[in-house]
Amino acid sequence: MFISTYYVKMLCHVLLLWMISRTEGTLDSRYVKTRVIKELKRCKESMMPLADVLSSDFIGCGVECTANKECRRFMFDTETNLCSLFDFGANCPTGEHVDNKVCYRQEFVCNEVSCFRCPLGYYGDRCQHVATECAEVKGTLMDIDQNQHVLAFIRPSPTGPVIQVRCAIKSTGWWTAIQRRRKGCKEVDFNRTWDEYVDGFGDTHGEYWLGLKHAYDIIQLKGPCRLLIVWWLNDKTRHSAYYNGFNLTDASNGYNISLSGMQERDNATDYLTDGSYSIAGRPFSTYDRDFSGYGCPERLNGGWWYPRTPNCSLMNPSGRLLEDDTEASLRWDDNLINASKAYSFTLNVQCSY
């Protein structure tokens, strides 16, 4: 009798849930299939597994994940039978072929009384609540060292979708990444439309943009907020700065940015609020909705809050990673206004502090 591929897959998924729950007796586990994403091998941070074990099939791999208290996601290679267990995140990045791999993320592990293992960012006796920002995620997971990054789920608006974000853990608390650039990862094109910058794009395991509407929702619900910028130059020197005051207007006003109270760290120059290059009070600009007055989004290869000056900006977090042209490259200029090519760049918001 002929059985369609769809029903075979559905039967396998049901069997996975049943097998995992049965192996733990009174425990109930649930997994959902997600994506396997091609990534550069140099982007190691998001591809380091908790453990690699051999398994006969993806069902056995799910059993291994449920048995490991740190596991919340697994990837199974159907050719090698390699089962890779991971702690956080929804999708599975790999530097190898994707066609022979499947990825599942855990929705919960519960007993008869409550759920004691939820996806990071979810909480409650049945994993029914979701954090608004990374500062709230901290309360759901305490055993993480400073200067680490984790992937977590948040719901910036009570009526909006649940999204995955990158959380930066610093001595000043947990921060939600609005933007992340990194040379070791697959480059994401930041020369995007207005709608894409509003909604967000990229992948949180590598380079991404959170989305203006999500940043706005976090600020409106949890403000007052502050902004943290961290970047590494190609010579591997670290720079950072934060602003004690950070706010955005709504979409109808162009998501105008407000910044105040800049604190310098690591010799960071204030290229965001100082002098004629200040972006304070400026609307966000993209190539299809340009408020800069000088064609800055096209010249610098991406959206940003551009100051009203012919030089557009002394820094370019949306620039190209391998661009030789100084203006369109990922850069943060030094005090002599000489372009310093950046290796990585993150823009982070924190409101519950």
Side-chain angles (χ1 to χ4, degrees):
M1 182 177 64
F2 174 77
I3 302 177
S4 71
T5 303
Y6 171 80
Y7 287 109
V8 170
K9 289 182 178 179
M10 288 297 294
L11 180 61
C12 288
H13 294 172
V14 172
L15 183 60
L16 171 63
L17 302 181
W18 181 81
M19 286 291 291
I20 292 173
S21 63
R22 292 289 293 176
T23 55
E24 293 296 327
T26 59
L27 297 188
D28 180 22
S29 315
R30 180 175 295 176
Y31 289 81
V32 293
K33 191 174 183 179
T34 57
R35 295 187 297 149
V36 179
I37 301 172
K38 184 72 172 181
E39 184 53 88
L40 300 180
K41 290 185 177 181
R42 297 191 304 274
C43 194
K44 298 178 181 179
E45 180 182 291
S46 60
M47 293 191 286
M48 298 298 292
L50 293 168
D52 284 325
V53 297
L54 292 177
S55 178
S56 59
D57 51 31
F58 75 97
I59 295 175
C61 192
V63 172
E64 293 284 351
C65 186
T66 298
N68 187 318
K69 67 178 182 179
E70 302 297 327
C71 182
R72 288 177 171 84
R73 168 172 53 100
F74 71 82
M75 182 171 64
F76 180 70
D77 190 316
T78 57
E79 289 186 0
T80 64
N81 288 341
L82 185 65
C83 171
S84 299
L85 310 181
F86 298 90
D87 45 11
F88 311 115
N91 301 311
C92 296
T94 178
E96 302 172 347
H97 297 296
V98 301
D99 295 339
N100 57 308
K101 296 176 176 61
V102 293
C103 179
Y104 286 84
R105 81 169 172 87
Q106 191 178 89
E107 283 196 312
F108 56 72
V109 176
C110 308
N111 56 27
E112 296 91 339
V113 179
S114 64
C115 296
F116 52 89
R117 194 191 308 174
C118 302
L120 187 59
Y122 284 80
Y123 61 97
D125 57 353
R126 308 307 295 181
C127 302
Q128 71 271 32
H129 304 301
V130 190
T132 303
E133 59 162 333
C134 286
E136 287 185 0
V137 175
K138 177 182 178 181
T140 69
L141 186 74
M142 303 301 292
D143 299 328
I144 296 291
D145 296 330
Q146 290 182 15
N147 298 319
Q148 300 293 317
H149 293 83
V150 296
L151 303 182
F153 295 98
I154 65 170
R155 179 180 279 134
S157 168
T159 59
V162 174
I163 60 174
Q164 184 176 245
V165 295
R166 176 173 289 268
C167 299
I169 304 163
K170 308 292 183 182
S171 60
T172 51
W174 287 50
W175 298 76
T176 306
I178 296 176
Q179 182 179 24
R180 185 187 190 237
R181 307 296 311 280
R182 186 173 178 82
K183 268 191 177 177
C185 300
K186 184 177 179 180
E187 182 169 10
V188 169
D189 184 6
F190 275 74
N191 197 18
R192 303 288 186 121
T193 65
W194 172 267
D195 288 343
E196 289 176 294
Y197 268 99
V198 170
D199 294 335
F201 55 86
D203 287 300
T204 50
H205 66 267
E207 294 198 330
Y208 88 110
W209 174 265
L210 174 66
L212 289 166
K213 69 180 182 183
H214 300 311
Y216 172 79
D217 285 340
I218 291 173
I219 293 170
Q220 295 306 301
L221 197 62
K222 304 299 295 185
C225 306
R226 56 186 180 179
L227 188 73
L228 171 67
I229 305 170
V230 180
W231 68 99
W232 290 79
L233 300 183
N234 281 351
D235 60 4
K236 304 300 175 65
T237 58
R238 181 183 184 277
H239 301 263
S240 67
Y242 73 88
Y243 295 79
N244 282 324
F246 170 52
N247 200 1
L248 296 176
T249 63
D250 61 17
S252 64
N253 289 294
Y255 291 108
N256 284 27
I257 188 171
S258 296
L259 286 174
S260 61
M262 190 271 186
Q263 303 292 320
E264 292 192 16
R265 293 186 174 187
D266 299 333
N267 299 315
T269 306
D270 183 8
Y271 290 141
L272 298 186
T273 64
D274 185 38
S276 62
Y277 287 94
S278 174
I279 68 172
R282 295 294 294 159
F284 198 85
S285 286
T286 57
Y287 72 81
D288 64 334
R289 195 168 177 178
D290 186 3
F291 299 101
S292 70
Y294 297 95
C296 296
E298 288 197 28
R299 288 168 50 188
L300 274 68
N301 193 58
W304 188 248
W305 296 275
Y306 290 106
R308 196 170 186 84
T309 170
N311 290 332
C312 289
S313 179
L314 292 178
M315 40 83 74
N316 186 14
S318 299
R320 298 184 182 95
L321 297 177
L322 302 177
E323 178 62 60
D324 292 330
D325 177 11
T326 298
E327 187 174 62
S329 64
L330 177 66
R331 60 183 172 84
W332 186 286
D333 294 347
D334 59 27
N335 290 329
L336 298 177
I337 316 181
N338 294 317
S340 300
K341 297 293 184 66
Y343 178 83
S344 68
F345 178 94
T346 56
L347 191 71
N348 311 276
V349 63
Q350 182 192 74
C351 299
S352 301
Y353 62 90

